Amino acid sequence: MKNLWFLELIFDRTLPRVNCSNEVASHVVLHMEAPSDVGNSSITMSKRKRAFGWSQKQSLNKESFPLRALMTSSTQDTPASFVNDGKIGVLLLNLGGPETLDDVQPFLFNLFADPDIIRLPRLFRFLQKPLAQFISVARAPKSKEGYASIGGGSPLRQITDAQATELRKALYEKNVPAEVYVGMRYWHPFTEEAIEEIKKDGVNKLVVLPLYPQFSISTSGSSLRLLESIFREDEYLVNMQHTVIPSWYQREGYIKAMAGLIENELKGFTKPEKVMIFFSAHGVPLAYVEEAGDPYKAEMEECVDLIMEELERRKINNPYTLAYQSRVGPVEWLKPYTDQTIIELGQKGVKSLLAVPISFVSEHIETLEEIDVEYKELALESGIVEWGRVPALGCEPTFIRDLADAVIESLPYVGAMAVSNLEARQSLVPLGSVEELLATYDSQRRELPAPVTVWEWGFTKSAETWNGRAAMLAVIVLLFLEVSTGEGFLHQWGVLPLQLPVFP
C-alpha cells in the first residue's frame, strides 16, 4: 500500500535538480574494519535509552519476520555455476516522478488512481479513476509551478539511473556480469517497462532489490504486490528464477556509510560533541504497524541503534533521537512527529542539530525541501542556532559496493525461488520470493487499513478526523451524482465524458 506521504510530492513542494555522482564520497570518512558484533545471522540491538520522545514501546515482535537480507558486506567466493548458468538481472524498485512539466498531470493521475493512495469503499470503487482525473487536473497547475521553479522535473529517475549504472560497474568488478534495471511505481520507466526489458534480454535469474533500506508494506510491499500481479499473468515470469532482498538496513556497508556521513558532517559544527543527531524517517499511519503488522517501525528503530553503535566505535557519543516526518490526513501516524520534536528540542535548550534522513537513499522532495527548508526554518525559530543535514547516500562508493555484495550473496538462493515451485518447498532464509515475502510481511495486504478511512463512523479523538471523513463523503456523493445523472461541473470541465456507460 502506498501512503499519503506521496501527496507531499505534489502539494506545494519544490525541489532543485540534483546529480547523483561520486562527489558524495568526499563527505564520507571511511573505516573499513569490520565491527566485532556484526555477524552473519543477527545483530544485537542497543539497550540504550532513546532520547527526547522516541517511543519506548516495541509494537512488533521482530522474530515473527524471519526473512532477512544477509548482514555482512564481505562476500564469499560466488560459485561459478551461479554466474555462468544463465543471465543475471537486478531489478531496482523506486517511486518515480515527473521528468517534465507535461508529465505532471499524468503522473498525478497514476498516483491517485492507485487504490492504496485513495481507498474508496467497495461500493464506490468504480469512481477511482474519475476521482483521480479530477484531482490530477485540479492540482496540476500548482504542481507545475513548483516543478518549473526547480528546472521542470523530478531528479529521482536521474539519481536512480546513476545508482543502477554504478551498481552494474561494481558487480562487473566483482566478476558478476549482471544487467541492472530500474522499475518505478508511478512514472517511467514503469515496473512493467523494466520487466519487458528483462524478458527481451533473456534474463533467467532475477534479484529484486527495492531501494528502501527498511521494509514497509507501503513502499517495498506495494512494489512487490505489483510484481506479483505481473508475474502471475506471464508464463515467462512464472518460471523465471528470482529472489527478493526485502530490506538491507542491517548490512555492514550501509551502516558504515551512514556513520561516515554523520561523522563528516559533525566536523562542521562549532562543538561537534554537543550536537543532537536527529534521525528523521518517513512516517506511516500507525494502523499499518498496529493493525497490519508492518515491520517498518521496528526495523527503523533497530537501524538507528546500529548506526549509533557504529558511531560509538568511532568515539562519537552524541545524544540522538528519532522522529517521523511527512504525515498527512486526519489519521494518527507514527510518533513522535518531526516538526513537534524539533520544537520540543528547542524548548529543552538544544542549540545544535544535525538532521539525518534515515529512510532515503536519494535526494528528493522530502530532503531538499521539507528538511532543508521547512524544518530548518522551524528549528531556527525554535531556538536552535546551528543546523546541519547529512546528505543522502546517492552513489556513495561504500554503499554501492555493499549493494553489489548483497546481490552476490543472494545468488545461491535464486535457483530455489521459482514461483511455480512455491508450494513444493520450504522457505529459504534470509531471502524470499515475491509471494513468500508478501505472505510473511503483508498477509493482510488485501485488507490493509487506509490512511484516510471513510466508512468507519463513531466517536473520535479529533474533530479533524470528522472533518476529513465528512469532506471525503461529500466528494463521494458528488461523484456519484455526476456519474448517475451525467450532469455537473466535472462534465462541463471535460473531466468526465458527456456520455457514460450504463451500469447494471
Tab-separated table of all heavy atoms in Angstrom, residues 21 182 320 367 440:
chain	number	residue	atom	x	y	z
A	21	SER	N	26.333	11.512	-8.090
A	21	SER	CA	27.696	11.274	-8.536
A	21	SER	C	28.547	10.875	-7.365
A	21	SER	O	28.137	10.935	-6.212
A	21	SER	CB	28.273	12.532	-9.198
A	21	SER	OG	28.514	13.524	-8.219
A	182	VAL	N	15.792	-0.531	-13.800
A	182	VAL	CA	15.076	0.353	-12.884
A	182	VAL	C	13.590	0.268	-13.181
A	182	VAL	O	13.159	0.459	-14.328
A	182	VAL	CB	15.558	1.813	-13.013
A	182	VAL	CG1	14.684	2.747	-12.181
A	182	VAL	CG2	17.027	1.931	-12.584
A	320	TYR	N	20.995	11.550	20.649
A	320	TYR	CA	20.299	11.365	19.378
A	320	TYR	C	18.832	11.095	19.636
A	320	TYR	O	18.424	10.749	20.748
A	320	TYR	CB	20.903	10.217	18.578
A	320	TYR	CG	20.650	8.837	19.172
A	320	TYR	CD1	19.650	8.007	18.668
A	320	TYR	CD2	21.402	8.368	20.245
A	320	TYR	CE1	19.419	6.765	19.197
A	320	TYR	CE2	21.161	7.115	20.791
A	320	TYR	CZ	20.173	6.326	20.265
A	320	TYR	OH	19.926	5.085	20.810
A	367	THR	N	13.883	15.622	1.331
A	367	THR	CA	15.169	16.030	1.901
A	367	THR	C	15.487	17.472	1.526
A	367	THR	O	15.841	18.285	2.383
A	367	THR	CB	16.299	15.111	1.422
A	367	THR	OG1	16.411	15.171	0.002
A	367	THR	CG2	16.041	13.678	1.859
A	440	THR	N	4.652	-13.345	4.243
A	440	THR	CA	5.288	-13.160	5.538
A	440	THR	C	5.094	-11.760	6.087
A	440	THR	O	4.723	-11.574	7.238
A	440	THR	CB	6.800	-13.455	5.429
A	440	THR	OG1	6.970	-14.791	4.966
A	440	THR	CG2	7.487	-13.300	6.777
